[in-house]
Amino acid sequence: MNTPTIDELTLPIEGMTCASCVNRIERFLGKTPGVEAASVNLATETATVRYRPDLADRAALVAAVEAAGYDVRTKRPSGDADAAPTLAAQLADDDIERARAARGLLLRAVVSIAVALGIMVVMFVPQTTVAMTDLNRLVLIPATFIQFWAGGRFYRAAWRAARHGTANMDTLVAVGTSAAWAYSVLVALRPAFVESAGVEPVTYFDSSTIIIGLVLLGRWLEARAKGRTAGAIHRLVGLSPATARVVRDGIDHETTLEAVAVGDLLRVRPGDRIPVDGVVVEGGSAVDASMLTGEPIPVVVGPGDEVIGATQNTTGTFVMRATRVGRDTALARIVDLVQRAQGSKAPIQRLADRVAEVFVPLVLVVAAATFVIWYVAGPEPRLTLALTSFIAVLVIACPCAMGLATPTAIMVGTGRGAEAGILIRGGEALEIAHRVDTVVLDKTGTLTAGRPSVGALVTAPGVTPGELLDVAGSVEKGSEHPVGAAVLARAREDELGFRRVDGFRAIGGLGVEATVDGTRILVGTARLLLDHGVDLTPLLAEADGVAAQGMTPAWVAAGDRLLGFIPVTDALKPGAREAVADLRGRGLDVWLVTGDDARTARAVAERVGIPADRVLAEVLPADKAAAVTNLQRDGRVVAMVGDGINDAPAIAAADLGVAIGTGADIAIEASDVTLLGGDPRAVADAIALSRATMSVIRQNLFWAFAYNVVLIPVAMGVLYPAFGITLNPGLAAGAMALSSVSVVANSLRLRGFDARRPVHSADAPAPAREDGLA
């Protein structure tokens, strides 16, 4: 049975204002046939939809969004209808659109506040000079202009929501300001009618206009702050050069980056940024990839070596052949991963979304009840108290902060991680990472450099080093393992390893076997040879000595005859010991799981600071996942750190999969977190970043909920009987605007995150666990 194809599409949404909008759009998308999952992000104003293309298409998804009462922005057309816009062009278009919207918000906010201040000044004119009825009629025109020009966006959004039987933040603002404006119009045009009811003819034009102005000002500030949360994407895209030098018939032609095609020859001069991914075909240089991979030392490249787009050429000149361009380059894939992460949603946000969906209707009921209670049972002036309390409750209630609490923190946290070479797949990975209490480390390629070299050969009696190396090198020609590559390289240095090989077979986690000149040859672990009846006793003492130094003995046998072993050493990465110390210092239990010899594994563990009882050695790749599962059965939250290839099953089985990689092999699908550059210290950095991000999210959600819990009763007037205090609607509007801005500003603190310095109390180290496997 064929598994149905699942596609993913991101839709830019217009008209969202609060968390209730988010939940409504998700529900409508989720009910669309063919949609597997939908996640809407208020901070990025996008909906990410996973769907079956045989059952749904973009038109159906757009229709679902529109049915929910919102619009999908259309992309600006590029110059070439057939050409996909570059990342930089898309970001530029988004920036232009965002700037245009922000200017519109600011203009309406400033005009509204200015008019409100003018109304306040006019209302202080002594009535001996101008009658109050005349003053009321004088300010009616500018107040009405503001109500429908600046406040029109609230009416449009509220009407869209009402047409679909729902309400949102715009509904609250529209109803609240309309009540103040409509009552004031009645007072201004029919003062006698109001006086006949025993009510003082007081208008609230200043309140309706200042509320609109402050709400719009808050949204402008919020938009500016949200724009700063996407700074990491802009900085990453900014690494890529705008042009490239294509070599045709020996002549250099400067062209735009979009025009470069796979197979083109490109010249890279000193100081240039490499335009796309490719392979050097002529010349050489040293390339600084630190901006992309975190590796501080430039790497020397020559013909046949791979280079990564957006990295910096230093001193030499070379010609390269483009192998990946456009959306396929390492940089583009990194940006795509960060964008997906920033548009994702952490599970903790679901509570806020569910609350927000019922919050606005509840506020409308509470506001109506507040009006009735004050009007029926309140002291004089009852109508004034009832109306101002009604308006204040509607305006002060702000689900915006609830909707922004999580996505803004995720945007800044994942962006800050990308700048530090830590690619986090999304909000769910961030939330899991902060709960990790056990870290399982692979050895080769994680703690060690993954570039083994051969030491002094140890031979059995009657066997020469040349014979041992010739046989082993010949067999390892078919191997892709780093140890095999080291043995083959050493054999080639001595001009050995060219014998004919038949029947080559790799034995996972143990070694290789093949037939050389009619004799079966085994090269691999002690276990491999013992399983085939080879006696290792003559060289066990020497092997123990080699293993104690952290070297791995690669045993070699011909038939059942022991030929000797080849010591292979893999240098520790410079930051390996510091990485383990940092993890343990943060209260994490650190394990080493490797397929290497037990003595070698313990020697390496001792050098990096992992206790001997936290070492699992001679573990086959397929059994690494079982080791992770055993730790999980003990109630642990486990992060598995490996090179993302032979460790993929264990990475996938772990609660948090962490892949150590480089910019060239960034697409490691099994992992939740990918560390560019391969520095093991980044493991602790990633966990520290997740803890800091989750701390900010919890703070944001606390203040978003606490704000409403405290201020809505104040707006209702609970303090009036005892203290004579009510909440002015204008102040309510200011407080509402500041609540959203404060949430975004708090999230922006993560831009200054330093993994070496805890910035939140939640980052303080906890005691390390000392219990063993269950």
Side-chain angles (χ1 to χ4, degrees):
M1 183 175 178
N2 294 329
T3 303
T5 301
I6 302 296
D7 284 353
E8 186 170 288
L9 180 67
T10 299
L11 299 173
I13 308 296
E14 282 186 341
M16 291 194 298
T17 55
C18 61
S20 61
C21 304
V22 169
N23 213 33
R24 179 171 178 80
I25 296 172
E26 285 182 347
R27 283 195 295 106
F28 271 72
L29 284 170
K31 291 187 295 186
T32 304
V35 171
E36 299 290 319
S39 176
V40 178
N41 188 304
L42 180 61
T44 58
E45 298 178 328
T46 57
T48 302
V49 188
R50 298 182 71 250
Y51 67 99
R52 289 179 52 180
D54 58 325
L55 298 177
D57 56 14
R58 190 180 192 278
L61 302 180
V62 170
V65 173
E66 292 174 344
Y70 303 87
D71 297 320
V72 176
R73 281 199 309 273
T74 56
K75 290 291 183 182
R76 291 173 45 157
S78 60
D80 181 356
D82 296 325
T86 63
L87 289 168
Q90 281 193 1
L91 285 176
D93 284 351
D94 290 345
D95 287 344
I96 292 171
E97 181 66 24
R98 192 177 294 113
R100 185 193 62 77
R103 284 195 301 270
L105 282 171
L106 182 59
L107 174 64
R108 284 166 170 74
V110 169
V111 173
S112 300
I113 293 172
V115 169
L117 293 175
I119 292 173
M120 292 176 190
V121 170
V122 168
M123 300 311 290
F124 277 106
V125 173
Q127 292 188 34
T128 55
T129 306
V130 182
M132 179 59 69
T133 55
D134 293 332
L135 291 177
N136 288 340
R137 289 168 181 167
L138 177 66
V139 300
L140 169 63
I141 294 175
T144 302
F145 170 73
I146 294 300
Q147 186 69 33
F148 295 99
W149 173 70
R153 61 186 297 122
F154 302 117
Y155 285 111
R156 288 189 294 271
W159 172 244
R160 281 199 305 265
R163 279 192 305 137
H164 298 92
T166 187
N168 56 22
M169 183 62 217
D170 295 292
T171 305
L172 301 182
V173 176
V175 172
T177 59
S178 295
W181 173 82
Y183 176 75
S184 299
V185 170
L186 177 65
V187 171
L189 299 180
R190 294 287 186 270
F193 174 80
V194 175
E195 290 175 341
S196 66
V199 179
E200 184 180 358
V202 177
T203 59
Y204 296 94
F205 287 128
D206 56 341
S207 294
S208 62
T209 53
I210 197 68
I211 288 170
I212 290 172
L214 289 175
V215 171
L216 291 175
L217 181 63
R219 292 195 178 176
W220 175 74
L221 291 170
E222 179 186 307
R224 275 176 55 88
K226 282 161 62 177
R228 292 174 62 195
T229 64
I233 293 290
H234 286 77
R235 284 187 286 274
L236 284 172
V237 172
L239 294 176
S240 184
T243 61
R245 292 181 182 86
V246 180
V247 182
R248 294 192 180 96
D249 300 323
I251 301 174
D252 293 358
H253 301 272
E254 188 163 338
T255 184
T256 61
L257 201 62
E258 303 89 77
V260 176
V262 172
D264 281 350
L265 293 178
L266 309 173
R267 189 180 305 279
V268 182
R269 301 190 304 194
D272 286 351
R273 285 202 177 273
I274 296 171
V276 296
D277 297 355
V279 176
V280 177
V281 296
E282 178 187 318
S285 182
V287 175
D288 179 1
S290 58
M291 293 293 289
L292 192 59
T293 68
E295 290 283 6
I297 302 173
V299 178
V300 176
V301 297
D305 290 330
E306 186 174 10
V307 288
I308 305 170
T311 55
Q312 184 83 47
N313 185 29
T314 56
T315 56
T317 298
F318 60 87
V319 176
M320 58 175 283
R321 187 179 302 279
T323 57
R324 289 188 293 269
V325 301
R327 302 300 180 89
D328 296 327
T329 64
L331 178 64
R333 282 144 60 197
I334 290 171
V335 170
D336 180 64
L337 188 60
V338 176
Q339 286 179 321
R340 288 171 182 266
Q342 291 188 337
S344 67
K345 182 180 295 186
I348 195 174
Q349 177 67 23
R350 292 171 190 151
L351 172 63
D353 290 347
R354 286 196 297 269
V355 170
E357 188 176 22
V358 300
F359 182 81
V360 173
L362 180 63
V363 168
L364 289 170
V365 172
V366 169
T370 299
F371 180 89
V372 171
I373 291 171
W374 278 111
Y375 188 72
V376 172
E380 293 294 345
R382 289 181 299 169
L383 180 60
T384 297
L385 287 172
L387 186 61
T388 55
S389 298
F390 171 75
I391 296 170
V393 170
L394 290 175
V395 173
I396 198 73
C398 181
C400 302
M402 297 180 200
L404 292 170
T406 298
T408 53
I410 289 175
M411 283 184 70
V412 182
T414 54
R416 181 69 188 93
E419 291 175 327
I422 302 167
L423 301 185
I424 301 170
R425 198 163 291 276
E428 189 169 355
L430 261 177
E431 189 164 335
I432 292 172
H434 97 284
R435 296 189 290 109
V436 166
D437 56 30
T438 303
V439 177
V440 177
L441 299 170
D442 176 50
K443 181 179 76 69
T444 304
T446 301
L447 293 176
T448 64
R451 294 185 291 271
S453 59
V454 171
L457 279 61
V458 179
T459 60
V463 179
T464 66
E467 180 185 354
L468 175 67
L469 190 58
D470 190 27
V471 171
S474 297
V475 172
E476 292 291 4
K477 281 188 297 187
S479 174
E480 296 181 355
H481 195 279
V483 170
V487 171
L488 180 59
R490 174 61 185 277
R492 290 293 190 257
E493 287 179 12
D494 293 355
E495 298 183 355
L496 297 170
F498 295 100
R499 300 170 71 173
R500 179 179 175 181
V501 176
D502 297 306
F504 175 86
R505 183 170 72 97
I507 305 170
L510 296 175
V512 297
E513 70 170 342
T515 301
V516 177
D517 297 335
T519 302
R520 185 190 64 194
I521 304 296
L522 298 172
V523 183
T525 64
R527 177 177 167 184
L528 174 65
L529 271 65
L530 290 172
D531 288 348
H532 287 80
V534 180
D535 182 14
L536 308 182
T537 305
L539 299 181
L540 282 179
E542 290 88 340
D544 286 342
V546 165
Q549 300 174 47
M551 302 173 71
T552 301
W555 295 88
V556 184
D560 57 3
R561 175 190 172 211
L562 177 65
L563 299 182
F565 65 82
I566 302 173
V568 179
T569 182
D570 191 3
L572 287 177
K573 289 184 176 178
R577 184 172 183 84
E578 182 183 346
V580 173
D582 200 357
L583 288 168
R584 300 192 75 202
R586 294 180 186 275
L588 297 161
D589 194 15
V590 183
W591 289 70
L592 177 64
V593 177
T594 177
D596 214 337
D597 178 84
R599 291 157 298 186
T600 304
R602 283 194 294 269
V604 170
E606 182 179 0
R607 289 165 63 190
V608 298
I610 297 176
D613 63 347
R614 292 296 191 268
V615 177
L616 297 176
E618 300 179 11
V619 179
L620 298 177
D623 295 333
K624 286 185 178 181
V628 168
T629 303
N630 286 339
L631 289 167
Q632 291 170 322
R633 286 178 184 149
D634 194 33
R636 299 165 180 262
V637 180
V638 180
M640 174 67 201
V641 186
D643 62 13
I645 302 170
N646 63 333
D647 299 311
I651 287 175
D655 298 287
L656 183 76
V658 182
I660 297 254
T662 65
D665 39 54
I666 191 61
I668 302 174
E669 295 299 329
S671 65
D672 303 300
V673 178
T674 301
L675 308 178
L676 302 180
D679 188 344
R681 290 173 295 186
V683 178
D685 295 347
I687 292 174
L689 176 61
S690 72
R691 290 179 175 179
T693 304
M694 290 306 300
S695 178
V696 166
I697 288 173
R698 284 192 291 266
Q699 291 168 13
N700 287 349
L701 287 173
F702 171 79
W703 289 113
F705 281 107
Y707 160 86
N708 286 289
V709 168
V710 171
L711 290 185
I712 287 179
V714 174
M716 293 172 65
V718 296
L719 298 180
Y720 185 82
F723 304 101
I725 296 174
T726 59
L727 186 61
N728 181 279
L731 292 177
M736 184 271 284
L738 287 176
S739 70
S740 296
V741 175
S742 65
V743 163
V744 180
N746 189 46
S747 298
L748 285 171
R749 291 192 305 122
L750 288 167
R751 293 178 69 181
F753 170 77
D754 181 357
R756 308 298 168 190
R757 175 179 55 82
V759 292
H760 300 289
S761 58
D763 297 330
R769 298 179 59 155
E770 296 298 336
D771 54 324
L773 282 167

